[in-house]
Amino acid sequence: QGGEVVVDAGCGSGILSIAAAKLGAAKVQAMDIDDVAVRIARENIKLNGLENIIEAEAGDIVEALNNFAPQVVLANITAEVVAHLIPVAARVLPPGGWFFGSGIVDSRWPLVRKQLDNHGFEIEQLLTDVDWIGVAARKK
């Protein structure tokens, strides 16, 4: 919609953060446990002239998420990390807030689905590609 605060969990190169900013996010907090990924994300953020919107930091997003009040959480990481992130996202997202998870191998989807169901999310859309799954879920 535009104007949202977005958290990009496991930001890697920063591509999701950059896309969110270009789609109108007011603020994006990007985090990754890999210092090299954060350095590359910062370079890409600078190349796109988005330093005033996106902040990239190294750290554990599962712990740090409690310090943010996002309307959107993006997580393109492993199914296990996505599943671990869902309870925290459920605490910090407002009703109607979005959780987007991808990088989920289809054999691990039941774990992620159970976490979404158990933490008050309604699945709005599933995307599949061969044996990968992406999910868009809204907090009830």
Side-chain angles (χ1 to χ4, degrees):
Q1 299 294 317
E4 296 89 359
V5 174
V6 176
V7 168
D8 182 1
C11 65
S13 68
I15 189 69
L16 294 179
S17 295
I18 291 166
K22 289 190 177 229
L23 288 169
K27 177 76 179 148
V28 180
Q29 180 63 51
M31 290 195 81
D32 205 296
I33 60 170
D34 183 347
D35 291 330
V36 174
V38 172
R39 181 178 51 78
I40 291 168
R42 287 178 178 156
E43 290 171 8
N44 289 330
I45 292 162
K46 186 174 182 175
L47 285 171
N48 283 274
L50 297 169
E51 305 95 326
N52 60 331
I53 298 173
I54 306 169
E55 182 178 341
E57 293 181 22
D60 181 345
I61 190 60
V62 175
E63 290 180 20
L65 192 56
N66 287 308
N67 300 321
F68 303 114
Q71 288 85 42
V72 178
V73 174
L74 309 172
N76 182 30
I77 41 186
T78 68
E80 288 73 17
V81 177
V82 168
H84 191 63
L85 185 61
I86 289 168
V88 182
R91 280 196 302 273
V92 300
L93 284 169
W98 285 94
F99 182 86
F100 294 92
S102 57
I104 304 164
V105 177
D106 65 356
S107 65
R108 303 300 292 150
W109 168 242
L111 168 70
V112 174
R113 174 152 198 148
K114 181 178 180 183
Q115 286 288 79
L116 290 168
D117 291 343
N118 289 344
H119 290 91
F121 286 94
E122 183 174 335
I123 295 170
E124 298 285 336
Q125 186 174 11
L126 279 180
L127 299 171
T128 59
D129 183 16
V130 188
D131 58 350
W132 294 97
I133 293 177
V135 61
R138 188 183 294 264
K139 185 176 170 187
K140 296 178 188 173

